[in-house]
């Protein structure tokens, strides 16, 4: 009735292959299934477009004759349901019950009970906002108690009041942790969609590819997981097109003809580390240097180190691909990937192994983005906050020096650029900074000027109003206990703003 009969017939043909093949699928049948999955994906993508009819016509039924008949199982063997194929509580293969079973064909009480309650994600956001407001009221009570200490001591209620406030704060913090945990989903939600896609891309280029997934149970905030699909897709395309060699090239290099692409996830404190690693040719430093010279990014005769090449590939519009293909060379490069990761308050770096041994892209993302520990400080008369996970250290400010147009400060044995939030965000600068907040983004670090360090506490992050757009260097806002809106700085954005400021010669006074 909906015009999707082709998909129905195709799915039935796939089921026929699986039933005939049993648990031992030949390579030819696997190839058919992968090709069929790719065709089905293209058909669904084109549904409702003028290309729909042609896409559905390409769904050629899988030949069940290619699968050998399944060998009869020993009589004593018990059927074992694979948890990967039919998890509990999800659609799977129905098990036949004995004919004499009293429950056969009847509805059991257990079938009517569900252990999962589906809640719209936006309701979790509302709940977390309300818990955040409760935590703010606890802070207000603590400040009020401190300000009225003599009066409370006079009537003998201060100790009891502080104990009740502390208990209320602990309950609010526990509720916040629970609400935050409800937002977490396994990273397999994102990674699980890439094996078939990566093999499909490799097959189109005549390459052989094996996919490995590690740490799929690692959890990540749902909003981050949903936004991570596009950056990871670009990294997969980059690995298949630039990194992985053809079977012939790999054999000449002494490698197995089938390449390996590994997705690896692990939790590191309050951050999640995701790696996309291939065992291909690695980063071609010579090719990157040649392309950089052609674009005027590298002076003739200047050599490029591997670290410099690894940073250069993230420049906007930079690509070593000279002819555009369906996968790369279309102007959407690794700079778009890094920007997307930075918007998630994360970082992206490339770790180069030995020459010819492959490349590893490493993403570090916050475990949760709704409620994070933050350092609150004042700069230029304004109250600001910065994620604690991005703060390397805080120190008293020393003399401000100049290197060309740029202001720098010495922090221990390192000379760091000075980033003044007031100057970068556009208000009165004030005087010399009293404190420095050292933050690092990738290989670059800056010392953020601060007039006063306030405190460090959990902050409920809110998006900026649409009317304000997405100002560079700011990733969101939070509300202070006194009701003031506090901007949450984005360390990577602050680093970029500071570089652009002095690159444009605006650093002089």
């Amino acid at each position: 009735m909906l015009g999707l009969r082709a998909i129905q017939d195709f799915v039935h043909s796939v089921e026929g292959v699986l039933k005939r093949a049993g648990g031992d699928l030949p390579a030819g049948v696997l190839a058919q299934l992968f090709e069929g999955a790719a065709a089905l994906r293209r058909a669904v993508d084109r549904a409702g477009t003028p290309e729909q009819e042609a896409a559905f016509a390409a769904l050629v039924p899988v030949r069940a004759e290619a699968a050998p008949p399944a060998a009869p199982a020993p009589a004593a063997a018990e059927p074992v349901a694979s948890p990967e194929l039919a998890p509990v509580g999800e659609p799977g293969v129905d098990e036949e019950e004995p004919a004499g079973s009293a429950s056969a064909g009847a509805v059991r009480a257990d079938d009517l009970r569900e252990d999962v309650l589906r809640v719209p994600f936006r309701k979790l956001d509302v709940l977390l906002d309300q818990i955040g407001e409760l935590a703010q009221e606890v802070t207000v009570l603590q400040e009020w108690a401190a300000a009225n200490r003599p009066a409370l001591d006079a009537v003998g209620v201060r100790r009891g009041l502080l104990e009740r406030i502390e208990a209320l704060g602990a309950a609010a913090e526990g509720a916040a942790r629970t609400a935050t945990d409800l937002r977490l989903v396994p990273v397999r939600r994102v990674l699980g969609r890439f094996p078939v896609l990566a093999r499909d891309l490799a097959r189109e280029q005549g390459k052989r590819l094996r996919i490995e997934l590690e740490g799929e149970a690692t959890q990540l905030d749902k909003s981050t997981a949903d936004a991570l699909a596009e950056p990871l897709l670009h990294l997969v395309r980059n690995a298949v097109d630039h990194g992985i060699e053809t079977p012939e090239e790999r054999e000449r290099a002494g490698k197995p003809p089938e390449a390996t692409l590994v997705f690896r996830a692990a939790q590191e404190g309050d951050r999640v580390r995701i790696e996309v690693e291939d065992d291909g040719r690695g980063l071609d430093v010579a090719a990157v240097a040649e392309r950089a010279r052609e674009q005027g990014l590298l002076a003739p005769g200047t050599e490029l180190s591997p670290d410099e090449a690894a940073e250069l590939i993230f420049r906007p519009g930079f690509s070593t691909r000279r002819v555009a293909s369906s996968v790369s060379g279309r102007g959407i490069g690794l700079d778009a990937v890094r920007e997307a990761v930075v918007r998630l308050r994360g970082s992206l770096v490339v770790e180069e192994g030995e020459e010819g041994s492959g490349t590893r892209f490493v993403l570090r993302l916050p475990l949760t983005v709704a409620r994070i520990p933050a350092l609150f400080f004042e700069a230029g008369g304004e109250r600001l906050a910065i994620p604690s996970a991005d703060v390397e250290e805080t120190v008293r400010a020393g003399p401000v020096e100049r290197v060309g147009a740029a202001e720098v400060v010495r922090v221990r044995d390192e000379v760091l650029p000075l980033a003044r939030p007031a100057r970068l965000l556009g208000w009165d600068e004030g005087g010399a900074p009293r404190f420095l907040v050292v933050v690092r983004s990738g290989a670059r670090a800056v010392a953020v000027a601060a007039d006063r360090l306030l405190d460090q506490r959990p902050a409920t992050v809110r998006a900026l109003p649409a009317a304000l757009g997405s100002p560079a260097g700011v990733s969101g806002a939070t509300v202070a206990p006194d009701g003031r809106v506090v901007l949450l700085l984005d360390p990577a954005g602050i680093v970029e703003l500071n570089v652009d400021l002095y690159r444009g010669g605006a650093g002089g006074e």
Side-chain angles (χ1 to χ4, degrees):
M1 183 176 295
L2 297 177
L4 302 180
R5 180 60 183 270
I7 293 182
Q8 182 182 11
D9 294 341
F10 174 79
V11 172
H12 287 166
S13 67
V14 173
E15 290 175 345
V17 170
L18 294 175
K19 290 178 181 178
R20 292 284 303 277
D24 187 16
L25 290 176
V29 177
L30 281 176
Q32 287 188 57
L33 291 176
F34 286 134
E35 291 171 6
L40 179 59
R41 184 172 63 252
R42 289 191 291 268
V44 172
D45 289 342
R46 289 165 174 76
T49 70
E51 303 175 0
Q52 172 179 320
E53 185 175 350
F56 285 175
L59 293 177
V60 180
V62 180
R63 295 187 299 276
E65 298 81 17
E78 292 289 339
V80 178
S82 169
E84 291 296 322
L85 296 178
V88 175
E90 296 186 11
V93 179
D94 294 334
E95 296 183 9
E96 296 183 1
E97 296 193 16
S101 172
S103 60
V107 178
R108 295 172 298 187
D110 288 346
D111 296 333
L112 300 177
R113 185 178 66 246
E114 293 187 15
D115 295 330
V116 177
L117 176 64
R118 297 184 182 276
V119 178
F121 191 62
R122 63 181 179 277
K123 290 189 176 182
L124 290 181
D125 287 336
V126 173
L127 174 62
L128 201 57
D129 285 344
Q130 293 174 341
I131 294 174
E133 292 172 3
L134 175 61
Q136 290 172 7
E137 292 303 320
V138 171
T139 304
V140 170
L141 286 174
Q142 290 172 335
E143 294 176 352
W144 180 87
N148 294 274
R149 178 172 181 171
L152 295 174
D153 282 335
V155 294
V157 299
R158 188 176 71 87
R159 180 184 298 275
L161 178 62
L162 290 179
E163 289 176 352
R164 293 300 90 203
I165 293 176
E166 183 178 352
L168 180 61
E173 188 59 33
R177 284 195 298 269
T178 300
T180 300
D181 288 345
L182 290 175
R183 296 171 55 98
L184 302 181
V185 296
V187 76
R188 74 167 66 92
R189 177 191 182 99
V190 183
L191 302 184
R193 69 186 68 178
F194 288 110
V196 173
L197 174 64
R199 278 191 289 260
D200 188 23
L201 292 173
R203 190 178 297 107
E204 291 176 0
Q205 298 192 22
K207 300 175 181 179
R208 294 173 58 186
L209 183 61
R210 180 169 60 92
I211 310 297
E212 294 182 2
L213 301 179
E214 300 178 9
E216 300 169 80
T218 303
Q219 292 190 312
L220 189 64
D221 192 281
K222 180 184 179 298
S223 60
T224 302
D226 291 344
L228 202 55
E230 192 67 21
L232 288 177
L233 174 60
H234 282 298
L235 293 182
V236 169
R237 286 173 169 167
N238 182 79
V240 172
D241 196 46
H242 293 281
I244 294 171
E245 315 95 329
T246 63
E248 295 77 17
E249 291 173 330
R250 292 181 62 84
E251 289 178 341
R252 286 196 296 269
K255 299 180 180 180
E258 185 178 56
T260 301
L261 182 63
V262 181
F263 295 89
R264 189 179 295 113
Q267 184 174 339
E268 296 180 340
D270 59 356
R271 296 236 153 194
V272 174
R273 175 187 175 106
I274 298 178
E275 300 178 2
V276 181
E277 181 178 8
D278 66 74
D279 64 347
R281 61 174 60 91
L283 185 63
D284 191 338
V285 178
V288 172
E290 180 182 357
R291 192 65 168 164
R293 294 188 188 98
E294 293 175 359
Q295 296 183 2
L297 303 174
L298 190 65
T302 304
E303 296 298 324
L304 199 64
S305 70
D307 290 341
E308 291 171 333
E311 189 62 30
L312 195 58
I313 62 177
F314 290 106
R315 285 189 63 88
F318 188 89
S319 176
T320 56
R321 172 71 65 179
R322 299 181 182 277
V323 179
S325 69
S326 61
V327 178
S328 62
R330 299 166 296 158
I332 304 175
L334 291 173
D335 62 302
V337 181
R338 175 173 275 182
E339 288 176 6
V341 173
V342 167
R343 283 196 298 269
L344 298 173
R345 294 199 283 276
S347 64
L348 171 64
V349 296
V350 57
E351 296 181 356
E352 184 70 14
E354 297 180 3
E355 186 175 356
S357 64
T359 306
R360 179 191 302 126
F361 287 91
V362 179
L363 298 84
R364 289 184 175 86
L365 300 155
L367 178 64
T368 178
V369 296
R371 185 171 170 81
I372 61 173
L375 173 67
F376 289 77
F377 64 98
E378 285 185 359
E382 295 291 334
R383 193 179 303 180
L384 300 168
I386 196 164
S388 299
D390 296 307
V391 176
E392 195 166 280
E393 62 178 325
T394 57
V395 297
R396 287 194 172 275
V400 178
E401 305 173 19
R402 283 191 175 273
V403 177
E407 289 185 318
V408 298
V409 290
R410 294 184 181 274
V411 178
R412 306 189 191 284
D413 297 329
E414 191 174 8
V415 177
L416 299 178
L418 177 66
R420 296 179 181 265
R423 179 181 300 177
L424 298 177
L425 301 177
W427 64 77
D428 293 337
E429 293 184 23
R434 296 178 57 197
F435 299 94
L436 301 174
V437 181
V438 180
V439 298
R440 196 173 297 273
S441 174
R444 295 182 293 184
V446 297
V448 179
D451 301 327
R452 190 157 66 105
L453 300 179
L454 300 176
D455 61 355
Q456 182 171 290
R457 64 176 183 271
T460 300
V461 182
R462 292 177 168 85
L464 294 176
L468 296 180
S470 301
V474 177
S475 60
T478 188
V479 179
D482 60 3
R484 293 174 58 182
V485 176
V486 178
L487 294 180
L488 183 69
L489 299 184
D490 167 29
I494 291 295
V495 170
E496 290 298 329
L497 278 177
N498 210 51
V499 170
D500 292 342
L501 174 71
Y502 292 120
R503 184 183 291 137
E509 295 186 5

